[in-house]
Amino acid sequence: EADAELLLKRLGKVLNGQSGLDVEAVVVGRDWKKDKSVLDEADAIFIFADGTSGIAGEWDYLDGLAKKGVGFTFMHYAVHPNPADGKKYYQPWIGGAMESGWSVNPHWTPNFKPQKHEIWNGVKPFSANDEWYYHMRFVKGLKGLTPILTDVPPDKTLRRKDGARSGNPAVRKAVANGESQHVGWAYERSGGGRGFGFTGGHLHMNWQNDDNRKLMLNAILWTAKVKIPKDGVP
């Protein structure tokens, strides 16, 4: 699986030096809540963790930051809270979340095509074999939400028996109907903040893909309300 610390340090290094942009990325570990002052001036926060461990029980604290307009990005397993917290926090923060009994987590290879959004600046169509969760529990009517990475999953992604993350009648019906599934999305909160959800990230090797990496760097900037270069982050 992806090495979280290695990945975040690398993304931070690109933003801080190679991007040529006036931004500062700070990488902190699982003990961040021992000194929360590191987030006092944050414009955006990126969380890559096992489940909700990155939140470290600080639900109300992070909710306060979101209500102040701080942007949030959650990646892979970090998009998977329990259903109640998904509705109370994740939907208002980033527009959606994975939900056991509704969403699924197969390995498959979507083909991503550019969407009309600046997160796609400089990014070419790409594909990546990864554990892309789909059939997420989004805000009603996708209000404020823009699909960024989307495709129709093949039937083989539902070969497993029904289970918490393997299949259910609702997702089987959606796939049979040919409904596109959004595995990366941008969200604009009614209060003015921004969120980004990215369900891939299980396989570290996919960060060798320039377009996969550029899209994520662009998304981080977008959640911080930084203007994304026309050709994206180099």
Side-chain angles (χ1 to χ4, degrees), residues 17-36:
Q18 298 171 6
S19 72
L21 300 169
D22 185 20
V23 298
E24 179 186 9
V26 178
V27 179
V28 295
R30 66 178 70 246
D31 295 329
W32 65 271
K33 69 176 182 177
K34 292 182 179 179
D35 181 10
K36 291 183 284 191

Side-chain angles (χ1 to χ4, degrees), residues 179-196:
E179 297 176 14
S180 294
Q181 298 297 321
H182 313 315
V183 300
W185 63 91
Y187 181 64
E188 297 196 58
R189 304 179 199 135
S190 58
R194 294 175 172 181
F196 184 70

Side-chain angles (χ1 to χ4, degrees), residues 4 8 33 37 40 47 53 60 86 96 98 109 112 124 126 128 136 141-142 152 161 169 181 185 187 210:
L8 297 181
K33 69 176 182 177
S37 65
D40 286 348
I47 295 181
S53 65
D60 292 337
M98 184 174 184
T109 308
F112 300 127
K124 299 184 294 294
F126 71 98
M136 309 300 282
L142 302 184
V152 178
K161 296 179 180 180
Q181 298 297 321
W185 63 91
Y187 181 64
D210 290 348

Side-chain angles (χ1 to χ4, degrees), residues 98 103-108 131-134 155-168 171-172:
M98 184 174 184
S103 310
V104 291
N105 66 344
H107 281 256
W108 58 299
E131 187 182 44
W132 296 101
Y133 310 155
Y134 70 82
D155 292 340
K156 64 182 181 181
T157 60
L158 294 175
R159 286 177 177 170
R160 297 176 293 175
K161 296 179 180 180
D162 283 359
R165 292 177 294 277
S166 56
N168 58 76
V171 70
R172 293 185 189 282

Side-chain angles (χ1 to χ4, degrees), residues 40-201:
D40 286 348
E41 299 181 1
D43 293 302
I45 299 168
F46 178 107
I47 295 181
F48 180 24
D50 294 335
T52 57
S53 65
I55 293 171
E58 296 287 346
W59 294 97
D60 292 337
Y61 173 74
L62 292 180
D63 193 44
L65 294 181
K67 288 174 179 175
K68 289 197 310 182
V70 176
F72 284 159
T73 294
F74 287 83
M75 187 174 82
H76 201 50
Y77 198 7
V79 304
H80 191 185
N82 65 50
D85 289 331
K87 184 175 182 179
K88 182 177 181 180
Y89 297 109
Y90 278 60
Q91 287 190 12
W93 290 350
I94 66 169
M98 184 174 184
E99 183 178 306
S100 294
W102 178 261
S103 310
V104 291
N105 66 344
H107 281 256
W108 58 299
T109 308
N111 294 302
F112 300 127
K113 298 178 181 179
Q115 306 296 310
K116 293 182 178 180
H117 198 284
E118 61 183 308
I119 289 177
W120 267 91
N121 284 8
V123 180
K124 299 184 294 294
F126 71 98
S127 61
N129 186 324
D130 208 335
E131 187 182 44
W132 296 101
Y133 310 155
Y134 70 82
H135 203 238
M136 309 300 282
R137 182 70 80 177
F138 291 121
V139 290
K140 187 175 181 179
L142 302 184
K143 185 177 180 180
L145 190 147
T146 301
I148 299 297
L149 297 174
T150 186
D151 198 5
V152 178
D155 292 340
K156 64 182 181 181
T157 60
L158 294 175
R159 286 177 177 170
R160 297 176 293 175
K161 296 179 180 180
D162 283 359
R165 292 177 294 277
S166 56
N168 58 76
V171 70
R172 293 185 189 282
K173 181 179 180 180
V175 171
N177 289 341
E179 297 176 14
S180 294
Q181 298 297 321
H182 313 315
V183 300
W185 63 91
Y187 181 64
E188 297 196 58
R189 304 179 199 135
S190 58
R194 294 175 172 181
F196 184 70
F198 184 93
T199 76

